[in-house]
Amino acid sequence: MKHLLIFIFIISFSQCSSLQFDKNAPFKISTAVYENWEGDQPGVKGTSVKINYTTNKDVKFENIYFRNNTTKLQTKNATSGKFIIGYFNTVSKQNELVLDKNPTKELNNPIPQIKKFPFKLKENQAVISYRINGNLAYYSIKLLQKVK
């Protein structure tokens, strides 16, 4: 029993250490903003997160974690500099559920998927994942400004 507890402790400790934030990132963020948007069609809306940065290293940005969601990052170059952007679709997809007195009619309802979010973030915080020299790293953005 003692060996099992030690094994569980080591496994949980190693998983926590793999999600530690990089304090000396190979890039410098100049601005980090988010903006809510609505499309031309009813029900099409979301949030975009834009991060301007500078670097002289070969950084491959992967994902952004924001408001209990994650999405792929896109790298862009503009005259104002380099930036990464992530688009979040905020429209929730509602599945038609069958609700009936007879529980056998409810058997074909889809099982809800519960996803565990890897970070505990405040409303205006985000985490970006990136690769440098093939190694995965995470960087925490403490304050995203809202664009009106």
Side-chain angles (χ1 to χ4, degrees):
M1 181 67 169
K2 182 178 175 183
H3 296 293
L4 178 63
L5 289 174
I6 292 171
F7 177 75
I8 291 172
F9 176 75
I10 290 171
I11 294 297
S12 63
F13 182 73
S14 68
Q15 288 178 346
C16 291
S17 66
S18 67
L19 291 180
Q20 294 211 357
F21 299 120
D22 193 353
K23 296 194 189 304
N24 299 317
F27 52 87
K28 183 175 180 352
I29 293 177
S30 54
T31 60
V33 297
Y34 70 94
E35 180 178 23
N36 297 322
W37 53 268
E38 288 192 32
D40 294 334
Q41 297 179 1
V44 177
K45 59 184 178 177
T47 302
S48 60
V49 179
K50 182 179 176 183
I51 302 164
N52 291 67
Y53 71 96
T54 57
T55 186
N56 58 2
K57 307 236 174 166
D58 185 25
V59 180
K60 303 286 186 211
F61 293 99
E62 292 192 350
N63 296 309
I64 183 164
Y65 302 84
F66 180 64
R67 293 186 176 169
N68 290 326
N69 288 303
T70 183
T71 191
K72 295 280 184 196
L73 283 168
Q74 300 174 17
T75 304
K76 308 268 184 171
N77 290 316
T79 55
S80 60
K82 298 178 184 179
F83 65 93
I84 50 177
I85 192 162
Y87 296 101
F88 295 90
N89 183 352
T90 57
V91 177
S92 63
K93 296 178 183 173
Q94 295 287 333
N95 291 332
E96 291 291 324
L97 295 177
V98 175
L99 301 175
D100 197 274
K101 289 181 184 177
N102 184 354
T104 57
K105 292 183 179 180
E106 298 178 5
L107 288 176
N108 290 330
N109 284 340
I111 298 171
Q113 298 296 320
I114 300 173
K115 296 178 184 175
K116 185 177 177 192
F117 196 68
F119 306 103
K120 186 172 180 128
L121 301 172
K122 293 181 182 173
E123 178 93 1
N124 59 350
Q125 291 180 328
V127 171
I128 54 177
S129 65
Y130 63 94
R131 290 195 182 271
I132 181 101
N133 298 327
N135 297 321
L136 182 63
Y138 297 92
Y139 183 77
S140 175
I141 301 170
K142 302 289 185 203
L143 180 63
L144 284 163
Q145 298 292 324
K146 182 176 182 178
V147 175
K148 299 194 183 213

